[in-house]
Amino acid sequence: MIDLNATQAAIRAGYSELTADVQGPRLLGNVGVAAAIAARQAAIAHKLGVTQERIVAELAKIAFADIRKAVRWGKSPIDTESENASPNGLSIYPVELVPSEKIDDDTAAAVSEVSLTQTGIKIKMHDKKSALVDLGKHLGMFKERIEHTGKDGAPLVPVINVRLRKRS
């Protein structure tokens, strides 16, 4: 449970470093060890309030985030209709962050980075596609399909082994 590494756990348990890479995974297959690990993981999840619902809710915040709730941008030189902002006197049409006290919690949860660069402010959102795929998998939307073929793409032919017993 320290580093989630079976080999290192085997070494800490007193197994030789030479055989720990074999003993660690073998111990994970032990019913008692597996049950102890599962119980400890459940206790940690309970203590921290980690639930399936919370994880799905966080993924949904990322998956359905709208960057327009985190930044505002002004009209561009070719935009004749927008009233969002005017140039700052230098003919630069600004992009600005929504103030932290005004950004909603769901949008803030979807922001992975805000940094000041030499050219201005950079905002990065968490990966929407990854969150959507994870949600889809959770909901059973994506079924992996594996096709098996025989030699040179030919169909597989079932082989039936029948042993004949000699009559004495």
Side-chain angles (χ1 to χ4, degrees), residues 5-68:
N5 183 304
T7 300
Q8 292 303 313
I11 292 169
R12 282 192 294 276
Y15 288 91
S16 162
E17 288 188 28
L18 298 174
T19 63
D21 62 332
V22 173
Q23 296 301 329
R26 181 187 65 79
L27 288 168
L28 287 177
N30 179 295
V31 175
V33 172
I37 291 170
R40 183 70 181 123
Q41 287 174 329
I44 291 169
H46 178 73
K47 179 181 177 182
L48 298 175
V50 176
T51 64
Q52 188 175 24
E53 291 82 11
R54 280 191 66 197
I55 291 169
V56 170
E58 288 300 310
L59 283 171
K61 289 175 188 178
I62 296 166
F64 304 116
D66 183 345
I67 196 164
R68 294 173 300 177

Side-chain angles (χ1 to χ4, degrees), residues 43-100:
I44 291 169
H46 178 73
K47 179 181 177 182
L48 298 175
V50 176
T51 64
Q52 188 175 24
E53 291 82 11
R54 280 191 66 197
I55 291 169
V56 170
E58 288 300 310
L59 283 171
K61 289 175 188 178
I62 296 166
F64 304 116
D66 183 345
I67 196 164
R68 294 173 300 177
K69 292 182 176 182
V71 298
R72 289 191 208 115
W73 50 89
K75 64 181 180 179
S76 71
I78 59 171
D79 181 1
T80 59
E81 298 176 16
S82 178
E83 297 297 326
N84 291 340
S86 58
N88 63 2
L90 302 173
S91 295
I92 297 172
Y93 294 80
V95 174
E96 61 186 15
L97 296 177
V98 170
S100 59

